[in-house]
Amino acid sequence: GECSAFKERFMECLRHSGYESAACRHSAKAYLECRMERRVQLMANEPLEKLGFKDLINEKSEEKPEK
């Protein structure tokens, strides 16, 4: 249940988008990150690039203001 809030946000996004998974990639990424961070055998830790989220990682780093 540690990641159930992330799962619910993802499922809600899918329902609102007519089950168009591409519209919910940010939610999917957050859910998978939660599962990988919880080292209770929820999911093996994999690089997000390998899971198809490379573009979202680059997007995240571009949003951060440089000091």
Side-chain angles (χ1 to χ4, degrees):
E2 294 179 47
C3 299
S4 60
F6 292 97
K7 178 184 148 195
E8 287 306 315
R9 280 193 286 269
F10 175 61
M11 296 305 294
E12 176 128 352
C13 179
L14 285 176
R15 285 189 288 274
H16 287 303
S17 70
Y19 295 92
E20 181 62 43
S21 62
C24 302
R25 292 186 70 231
H26 285 89
S27 298
K29 178 180 169 280
Y31 175 54
L32 292 175
E33 285 178 317
C34 177
R35 289 185 60 97
M36 288 188 291
E37 287 172 4
R38 308 306 190 270
R39 305 240 173 175
V40 190
Q41 299 179 348
L42 292 177
M43 180 177 178
N45 202 0
E46 292 285 344
L48 290 170
E49 295 90 349
K50 189 175 178 182
L51 297 174
F53 294 102
K54 184 176 182 177
D55 60 319
L56 297 183
I57 294 167
N58 292 336
E59 201 177 273
K60 187 176 182 180
S61 64
E62 290 172 5
E63 291 174 3
K64 291 182 182 177
E66 293 193 25
K67 294 181 181 179

